[in-house]
Amino acid sequence: MKILTMQSFHYNSPEENEPLELKVPVEYGGLRLDQALARLFPDWSRSRWQAQIEAGRVRLNQALAQQKTRVWGGESLWLETEPEVFSEEVVPEDIPVETVALEEAFRVIHKPAGLVVHPGHGNWRGTLQNALLFHDPAVAQVPRSGIVHRLDKDTSGLMVVARTLAAHGELVRQLQARTVHRHYWALVQGQVREGGRVEAPVGRHATQRTRMAITAAGRPAVTHYEVVRRLPCHTLLECRLETGRTHQIRVHMEHLGFPLAGDPVYKGKSIALDGRSSAALRDFGRQALHAFHLGFLHPDTRQPCAWDIPLAADMARLVEVLEEAVYV
């Protein structure tokens, strides 16, 4: 049975919305703005774009746009959030989900590395959202099947999923108020001397749309980090998110000069290690990032609740090997 969720079109999580900047194509010259937007993003109707414009979520040459404005090509177009759209229905799939806590209002899960959170470009099936619809069909009545925040595909660890509309609204409010506690273990290249705080805006990379970057046009982002364990050539950190931008920890650590071990995107300069360590990093196959602590106020009782899980097994094995790493 196919289930069409409340949101056939979906956005990034509330505090992960990334503004999109682009130029109006010259060939769209003479069109009304709403017509041009509908051509740029054909999965959205003109009426849907008109609503976005009326809500002040579209700027043209830095000014609030009007739907009847004519474009002539080359104008700077700014959208409050990049519409990540898909046209296929989200179908239930029998994919295992490790549940850490289950209550009427929410479910806390341990997402494994390699599992995409929700359908998107190139990943229409086999996602956490497909799994949630199979194991808990009632979440089809909740926006995005209850997903209120996300982890990157190759980041493992704790996530909370709302099971009711009321819980969804409350958890979104807590995320926006930055009162949800999310702590990660991150294994980074190099030896970090002491803990600290990174405050640097994160936004889309100017030319590589799949990457994020430190950019003045980005959204405010703050990461706190502490040294947990120093290895010969790496450091295990505890990172605490104050904000939750896309790829935030990965981008901030690369910015500091300590990219995450195994990160295929934000990998920094390559380092030459002994054969055993190099093989372990190569075989690890993902960024060494694990969400081990999650805390928030219960959506119904307003009482604090929190969960912790051990370091992911593959990260633990990698740390064990890198305890004897040697630069060559």
Side-chain angles (χ1 to χ4, degrees):
M1 177 182 68
K2 290 187 176 182
I3 295 179
L4 182 63
T5 61
M6 287 182 65
Q7 292 184 322
S8 299
F9 304 94
H10 65 265
Y11 302 88
N12 291 332
S13 301
E15 56 173 15
E16 293 174 338
N17 289 338
E18 301 296 340
L20 175 64
E21 298 180 64
L22 66 160
K23 296 290 186 182
V24 176
V26 175
E27 58 268 28
Y28 290 178
L31 294 177
R32 285 176 26 152
L33 177 59
D34 56 344
Q35 294 174 317
L37 285 167
R39 290 195 184 184
L40 281 167
F41 302 97
D43 287 314
W44 279 29
S45 65
R46 280 179 59 189
S47 62
R48 193 175 183 89
W49 277 117
Q50 289 167 1
Q52 293 289 306
I53 295 168
E54 289 299 316
R57 300 190 179 111
V58 179
R59 289 179 180 270
L60 193 65
N61 288 336
Q62 305 302 317
L64 284 176
Q66 302 295 322
Q67 62 189 38
K68 295 181 180 181
T69 299
R70 296 280 176 180
V71 296
W72 303 106
E75 296 95 334
S76 175
L77 189 61
W78 183 95
L79 311 179
E80 183 177 288
T81 185
E82 181 171 357
E84 184 182 357
V85 298
F86 59 94
S87 57
E88 293 191 10
E89 295 178 346
V90 184
V91 299
E93 292 185 69
D94 188 3
I95 301 167
V97 174
E98 181 180 345
T99 298
V100 176
L102 180 63
E103 300 207 12
E104 183 177 348
F106 62 85
R107 179 194 300 263
V108 175
I109 67 164
H110 178 182
K111 187 192 85 68
L115 180 64
V116 175
V117 170
H118 55 67
H121 301 296
N123 293 288
W124 303 113
R125 302 291 178 90
T127 73
L128 174 62
Q129 187 172 3
N130 297 104
L132 291 171
L133 288 167
F134 178 87
H135 296 287
D136 197 356
V139 298
Q141 304 307 312
V142 183
R144 297 182 68 189
S145 306
I147 295 170
V148 294
H149 68 117
R150 66 183 182 184
L151 296 175
D152 295 337
K153 174 184 176 181
D154 290 324
T155 296
S156 54
L158 293 172
M159 289 181 58
V160 60
V161 177
R163 300 183 69 216
T164 66
L165 283 171
H168 181 274
E170 176 56 29
L171 289 170
V172 167
R173 283 189 289 272
Q174 291 187 41
L175 282 163
Q176 293 172 335
R178 303 183 183 178
T179 57
V180 176
H181 303 290
R182 289 167 291 172
H183 295 228
Y184 295 70
W185 277 313
L187 183 64
V188 301
Q189 293 181 22
Q191 288 200 323
V192 182
R193 290 186 177 182
E194 58 185 4
R197 178 177 183 269
V198 188
E199 183 172 2
V202 174
R204 290 284 176 190
H205 192 282
T207 59
Q208 302 176 49
R209 300 301 301 168
T210 60
R211 287 174 57 101
M212 309 301 291
I214 303 298
T215 170
R219 304 188 71 195
V222 179
T223 303
H224 302 263
Y225 62 95
E226 297 180 5
V227 174
V228 175
R229 189 174 179 181
R230 291 187 183 88
L231 306 177
C233 309
H234 295 78
T235 306
L236 183 63
L237 300 177
E238 177 179 337
C239 296
R240 176 173 62 83
L241 291 181
E242 190 172 313
T243 56
R245 310 305 176 205
T246 302
H247 299 179
Q248 178 174 316
I249 293 175
R250 300 166 65 187
V251 172
H252 274 175
M253 291 301 107
E254 181 196 39
H255 177 64
L256 291 180
F258 301 106
L260 268 63
D263 196 326
V265 178
Y266 309 97
K267 53 189 175 183
K269 296 181 180 179
S270 60
I271 57 174
L273 299 177
D274 62 277
R276 181 168 179 257
S277 299
S278 296
L281 284 166
R282 183 178 60 251
D283 295 341
F284 185 64
R286 68 177 181 104
Q287 65 268 7
L289 189 62
H290 179 69
F292 75 92
H293 173 85
L294 177 66
F296 51 85
L297 296 180
H298 194 291
D300 294 337
T301 67
R302 305 293 295 169
Q303 295 299 309
C305 46
W307 296 265
D308 291 271
I309 56 175
L311 183 63
D314 60 345
M315 275 187 69
R317 290 192 295 268
L318 181 62
V319 169
E320 184 178 353
V321 171
L322 294 180
E323 283 181 328
E324 300 177 1
V326 178
Y327 287 114
V328 297

